Structure formats: C-alpha cells, structure tokens
C-alpha cells in the first residue's frame, strides 16, 4: 500500500511548526481560526495513520482517497470544539492521536460512499486542508457566484451552459457576463482564503 506524499509537508511555513506538541497545535488552531497552517501541520503529522486505517477498509483506491478527504473534513469541523482534558474523555485525558483514530473509525463506519465512477475528487488535485479552507471560503461568497463556481469547477460546465441554466431559473445573464462573474468569484474566493493557505498551496509570497 502506497501512502500518498503531500508536498505541503516540505513547505517552510509548515516545517517551522513541526516542533510544536499536539496540544500546542490544537490550541493555536482554536485561538487563530483565520490561520490555516496549524491544521495543515496536524494533517501532515497524522495523515499516514489516517490513510492506513482507511485504505484497509475501502473497496478501491478512489474510494479510499475520497473517504480520506471526507474524514479530514469531519476532523476539521470537530477540532474547533475539542478539549482533550474534558471530563468526558476520562481522568487521564485523551491524546490527539487516539482521538484522530476514533474519528477515523467513526467516519469509516458512518460515511456512505458513492460508487467509484461517481467520485470526481482527486487527492493530488486538492489536498484535504486546501479543500476544507476552500469550502469555508465558498460559504462566504454570495449564493449566485458560489453556484456558478461549483458549476464551472466541479461539473466543468461551459459559460454558455451556465448562462442557459441560469436563464431557465429566471436570471437574465449572458455567457460573457458569466465569464466576468466567474473571474470576480475566483478573486473573491482567493481573498477569503487564509493568507497562509495561499502561501502554502497557491505559492503566494509571505506577507511582509
């Protein structure tokens, strides 16, 4: 079994945080939600364990990659409220590694995966941390622009087809206007991404 390699693990911004303990990374993630690097470091540290557990349970590599991404999305949303020392987890607390293993087992058992041919996700094209933050950014974009971006990026619809669909829904938008609005949507989406996520994944320079 080949465990995927994630290039972000070698990014200077990520490597500079490797010395932090799990508890420190969790605290920083919770204190600075507008920073993406802390979650990315947790992902890089524990992706081999999570992937190994998932690969043994999935029917195909495509399903394994998709379940891996969905599991990290679930982890991302649960981490914000995680307290490893809360009374519910026992007197001695819980390690982040054990909690992640428990979350992975939960996702393996609970998530119903579509057939392989219906999955359009590519692990190489969109690493789970980037996917989480893009999804979060999409939620902050006006609904019409968000719909158009999803049509263009997820379903690969042409501007003409997007315009035709929107016209059928009562929106008077021409293909050329779709093109302009898509560019505005991409700019807005990028602007909503945390600055450090743009540095790590989109190769922007660090802000001075």
């Amino acid at each position: 079994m080949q465990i995927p390699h994630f290039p972000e693990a070698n990014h200077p911004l990520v490597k500079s945080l490797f010395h932090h303990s799990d508890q420190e990374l969790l605290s920083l993630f919770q204190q600075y939600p507008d920073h993406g690097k802390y979650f990315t470091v947790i992902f890089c540290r524990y992706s081999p364990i999570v992937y190994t557990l998932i690969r043994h349970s999935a029917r195909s590599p495509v399903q394994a990659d998709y379940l891996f991404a969905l599991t990290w999305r679930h982890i991302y949303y649960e981490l914000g409220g995680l307290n490893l020392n809360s009374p519910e987890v026992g007197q001695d607390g819980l390690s982040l590694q054990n909690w992640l293993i428990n979350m992975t087992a939960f996702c393996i058992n609970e998530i119903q995966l579509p057939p392989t041919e219906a999955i359009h996700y590519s692990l190489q094209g969109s690493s789970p941390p980037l996917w989480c933050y893009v999804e979060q950014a999409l939620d902050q974009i006006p609904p019409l622009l968000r719909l158009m971006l999803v049509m263009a990026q997820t379903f690969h619809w042409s501007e003409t087809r997007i315009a035709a669909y929107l016209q059928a829904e009562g929106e008077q938008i021409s293909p050329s206007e779709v093109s302009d609005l898509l560019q505005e949507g991409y700019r807005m989406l990028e602007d909503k991404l945390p600055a450090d996520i743009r540095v790590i994944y989109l190769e922007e320079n660090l802000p001075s």
Side-chain angles (χ1 to χ4, degrees), residues 25-208:
L25 288 171
L26 177 61
S27 298
L28 289 164
F29 169 78
Q30 292 173 341
Q31 288 170 22
Y32 302 102
D34 54 338
H35 291 250
K37 57 191 175 184
Y38 306 116
F39 177 67
T40 305
V41 176
I42 292 171
F43 168 79
C44 291
R45 184 172 289 176
Y46 286 107
S47 59
I49 293 175
V50 173
Y51 193 86
T52 301
L53 292 170
I54 285 172
R55 185 65 191 92
H56 284 305
S57 69
R59 292 199 187 103
S60 73
V62 172
Q63 283 189 323
D65 287 359
Y66 188 49
L67 180 56
F68 177 74
L70 291 174
T71 298
W72 277 105
R73 185 174 68 169
H74 181 75
I75 289 167
Y76 172 77
Y77 287 109
E78 291 292 324
L79 271 177
L82 176 62
N83 178 1
L84 291 173
N85 300 308
S86 66
E88 304 95 76
V89 301
Q91 189 173 2
D92 298 326
L94 185 72
S95 72
L96 181 61
Q97 177 173 313
N98 286 342
W99 181 82
L100 288 167
I101 290 170
N102 291 343
M103 285 293 104
T104 303
F106 171 82
C107 290
I108 288 170
N109 292 325
E110 296 297 324
I111 293 177
Q112 298 295 315
L113 290 172
T116 298
E117 62 272 14
I119 295 173
H120 303 291
Y121 176 77
S122 163
L123 197 55
Q124 289 71 36
S126 179
S127 186
L130 178 61
W131 191 32
C132 288
Y133 285 103
V134 166
E135 195 173 71
Q136 182 177 280
L138 274 171
D139 287 342
Q140 302 173 58
I141 289 176
L144 181 62
L145 281 181
R146 182 167 65 238
L147 176 62
M148 292 167 66
L149 288 175
V150 169
M151 287 175 181
Q153 285 298 306
T154 304
F155 300 110
H156 307 294
W157 283 16
S158 67
E159 290 153 7
T160 303
R161 187 175 179 186
I162 292 171
Y165 173 85
L166 293 174
Q167 286 165 16
E169 294 295 315
E171 299 282 351
Q172 295 308 309
I173 295 178
S174 68
S176 62
E177 288 172 321
V178 168
S179 177
D180 292 340
L181 287 167
L182 281 173
Q183 292 310 310
E184 181 185 342
Y186 290 130
R187 280 194 299 272
M188 198 178 291
L189 181 64
E190 194 168 314
D191 185 56
K192 299 290 184 187
L193 286 173
D196 54 359
I197 288 293
R198 297 201 302 268
V199 169
I200 295 166
Y201 288 101
L202 306 182
E203 299 181 352
E204 284 193 11
N205 293 323
L206 274 166
S208 54

